[in-house]
Amino acid sequence: MVGISKSGAERYGRMFAQLTDDSWLFGAMVTLVFLVMTICLSYSIIFYLPLYQPTAESVIAVMTTLRPLMFVFPVITAGLTFIAGFRAVKSFLNGKKV
């Protein structure tokens, strides 16, 4: 029988789970990184993009096409922040020390 190859996300998710089970501090650092990324992406959407007025028509077309994607990345990083924070707190409460 042919073995099913794991996707990169599955492999990295399993590695992250193992690392946070071994050290809650690692999970806390990853949570902080994703939280900063979420804040920066949200800040750029809220403050910079509405003020930016491109003049070339091709740039306007590209921005109009990409505009829905601008909201996807902060949602993804917010989800990763929640998952990392949950794993870090779970590891901390289980009593695993650094």
Side-chain angles (χ1 to χ4, degrees), residues 24-92:
W24 64 268
L25 188 58
F26 173 78
M29 287 187 299
V30 171
T31 302
L32 183 64
V33 168
F34 282 127
L35 181 63
V36 168
M37 287 173 55
T38 302
I39 291 170
C40 290
L41 288 169
S42 300
Y43 181 80
S44 68
I45 288 172
I46 292 170
F47 289 105
Y48 291 119
L49 292 177
L51 298 176
Y52 178 66
Q53 298 294 327
T55 56
E57 290 181 19
S58 62
V59 174
I60 292 173
V62 169
M63 288 300 290
T64 303
T65 305
L66 294 178
R67 190 168 300 267
L69 295 177
M70 292 185 301
F71 300 101
V72 171
F73 296 117
V75 170
I76 290 171
T77 56
L80 291 172
T81 302
F82 175 77
I83 292 168
F86 180 78
R87 295 281 315 176
V89 169
K90 181 180 167 188
S91 178
F92 179 75

